[in-house]
Amino acid sequence: MVWKTLGEEGPPVVNVNGPRYGAIWGADRRLLGLNNIELITDRPLQINLQEMKQVKMNWPDRALIASIMVPCVEESWKAILPLVEETGADGIELNFGCPHGMSERGMGAAVGQVPEYIEMVVRWCKQYSRMPVITKLTPNITDIRRPARAAHAGGTDAVSLINTINSIVSVDLDTFAPQPTVGGKGTHGGYCGPAVKPIALNMVAEIARDPETQGLPISGIGGITTWRDAAEFLALGAGNVQVCTAAMTYGFKIVQEMISGLSNWMDEKGHRTLDDITGRAVPNVTDWQYLNLNYIAKARIDQDACIKCGRCHIACEDTSHQAITATKNGMRHFEVMEDECVGCNLCVNVCPVESCISMVGLEAGMLDERTGQTVNPNYANWTTHPNNPMARQAAE
């Protein structure tokens, strides 16, 4: 468990007493995303430290990580680290990601967006503490690899990501104030929950496949709600995952469901340990220019499963490639015209019936511009093939 972020002794942290969360819901009011404007803990540092010590005494076999955020000043870090260490905590997580409130004071994302600051603070923490250091990264940056490299250079033992994403989730159209609204005003906050998972997965993968941070342990964060979410983070290089919004939504017991679901899936697939799946998907993540442009797939509609709703036709007709017919013999009937289908799979994604539309790989290749021969769609050496524009450019 990671304790809610601690601040230094001194002026108290004061949170808003009005609403702290904005939300995005799905059609069934399932919570998709939360926007929070809450700050770090507003409870006195000494009370937090006493409780951490007691928790560690009561459950010595569980890992307790202290999240810390203090000003980017050496003396501030030097002062708080021994206090945290005395609790018996197993490690610290440097909160370099919080995008609101604290960042205006030169902390949180204000540090995480400057690689030089990250490396500097990590070095202080390694110098003044025995505890392992996890550096929590902000997603509010252009290239997530740069802060990860800086943390690695500073000697961090691991990185965790992502922290929340800068956001305004909605505007009240009666008061014209952002939600959540505090006394008639709103502010940007940190976005989290299931909706941020795709962004988190990409950033985890970027660090896992970066040669400069290869082998650096990663703790995956961002929208993890089910065992499948956890497995996807592990497959992309995370060694463990953290859960917050899902616990806020469904309670702590959701973690038990994740553990049992992951265990059952591993048994079904014959995976004996987490090492069997950790990082397995990383070699299959590549840059767009290295994709095999000879691979061809077409959409197929299962007529027995089709409910004739027409969503595939409308999507393809209005915004894609006009490749799905709407009638046959005067009857409502949807079928893919293979000559027009480019394999975009938009129809698969808008179809409300699972597995009704599928993508089928075809044994056909594009024409080689130089030889005039049909290229095998599974051409093994695409990185040097003349049809690859990057390879052509390099050759020329």
Side-chain angles (χ1 to χ4, degrees):
M1 50 195 161
V2 181
W3 205 271
K4 185 170 174 66
T5 304
L6 308 173
E8 64 180 347
E9 291 183 292
V13 172
V14 180
N15 269 295
V16 296
N17 289 317
R20 298 181 184 180
Y21 300 103
I24 295 290
W25 298 276
D28 57 356
R29 196 156 169 94
R30 185 171 67 91
L31 187 66
L32 300 180
L34 273 182
N35 164 288
N36 89 86
I37 60 170
E38 187 171 276
L39 304 181
I40 64 176
T41 180
D42 51 14
R43 301 165 69 245
L45 176 61
Q46 287 304 321
I47 291 179
N48 276 296
L49 295 174
Q50 291 167 13
E51 292 182 350
M52 289 170 65
K53 188 173 185 178
Q54 188 63 51
V55 165
K56 192 59 189 174
M57 289 173 61
N58 292 352
W59 291 278
D61 63 324
R62 307 301 171 97
L64 173 62
I65 307 298
S67 176
I68 306 176
M69 182 194 295
V70 297
C72 200
V73 177
E74 184 172 4
E75 288 305 313
S76 296
W77 288 96
K78 188 176 180 180
I80 197 171
L81 289 169
L83 302 178
V84 173
E85 193 167 296
E86 198 271 332
T87 66
D90 298 285
I92 56 175
E93 184 177 73
L94 313 183
N95 188 341
F96 293 158
C98 188
H100 57 273
M102 307 308 292
S103 57
E104 288 91 325
R105 311 176 197 188
M107 293 180 274
V111 177
Q113 291 166 337
V114 185
E116 293 78 10
Y117 292 172
I118 294 174
E119 181 176 349
M120 178 175 65
V121 176
V122 171
R123 289 190 187 278
W124 293 339
C125 293
K126 293 300 294 181
Q127 178 181 351
Y128 296 122
S129 174
R130 62 156 180 85
M131 296 176 289
V133 174
I134 304 170
T135 305
K136 190 172 186 179
L137 305 179
T138 176
N140 302 300
I141 195 164
T142 306
D143 187 346
I144 194 65
R145 295 172 299 178
R146 294 188 63 215
R149 290 168 183 170
H152 190 42
T156 194
D157 296 283
V159 292
S160 60
L161 67 154
I162 57 173
N163 208 312
T164 54
I165 301 168
N166 233 338
S167 63
I168 292 177
V169 292
S170 61
V171 175
D172 186 317
L173 294 180
D174 291 320
T175 64
F176 291 97
Q179 299 276 27
T181 304
V182 181
K185 301 288 185 181
T187 183
H188 65 94
Y191 194 47
C192 58
V196 311
K197 175 188 156 190
I199 298 168
L201 286 174
N202 174 63
M203 291 189 169
V204 166
E206 285 292 282
I207 294 172
R209 69 190 188 99
D210 181 11
E212 295 189 37
T213 52
Q214 211 161 39
L216 179 65
I218 300 172
S219 182
I221 308 170
I224 299 165
T225 308
T226 68
W227 70 264
R228 186 177 293 276
D229 297 330
E232 291 175 10
F233 273 84
L234 294 171
L236 284 173
N240 63 44
V241 299
Q242 297 185 34
V243 177
C244 184
T245 307
M248 294 168 68
T249 308
Y250 303 108
F252 288 131
K253 286 192 175 181
I254 194 170
V255 175
Q256 296 174 0
E257 296 180 15
M258 293 182 192
I259 292 171
S260 60
L262 186 62
S263 179
N264 291 339
W265 171 73
M266 290 175 64
D267 289 343
E268 289 175 11
K269 297 294 184 179
H271 302 306
R272 294 180 296 106
T273 69
L274 290 177
D275 289 337
D276 292 343
I277 61 172
T278 300
R280 283 280 294 272
V282 175
N284 294 326
V285 181
T286 188
D287 295 332
W288 192 96
Q289 68 218 37
Y290 301 123
L291 295 176
N292 183 355
L293 300 187
N294 293 313
Y295 179 77
I296 297 175
K298 303 286 185 180
R300 297 275 174 82
I301 300 174
D302 182 345
Q303 297 301 328
D304 293 332
C306 180
I307 61 173
K308 309 295 189 290
C309 68
R311 288 177 63 179
C312 62
H313 168 71
I314 292 298
C316 188
E317 188 71 16
D318 288 1
T319 68
S320 196
H321 290 82
Q322 298 81 48
I324 298 179
T325 60
T327 58
K328 184 177 182 180
N329 299 326
M331 301 293 290
R332 193 172 175 83
H333 179 88
F334 303 98
E335 195 164 330
V336 176
M337 297 180 286
E338 283 197 359
D339 289 347
E340 300 295 333
C341 178
V342 300
C344 73
N345 89 325
L346 175 62
C347 56
V348 176
N349 291 314
V350 301
C351 179
V353 180
E354 187 174 0
S355 302
C356 175
I357 308 179
S358 57
M359 300 303 297
V360 179
L362 302 182
E363 293 297 323
M366 64 185 292
L367 196 66
D368 188 311
E369 295 173 357
R370 297 192 175 186
T371 67
Q373 301 295 314
T374 299
V375 180
N376 187 307
N378 298 315
Y379 194 90
N381 197 16
W382 178 245
T383 56
T384 59
H385 191 265
N387 277 350
N388 182 339
M390 299 298 290
R392 274 207 310 272
Q393 183 178 352
E396 291 165 0

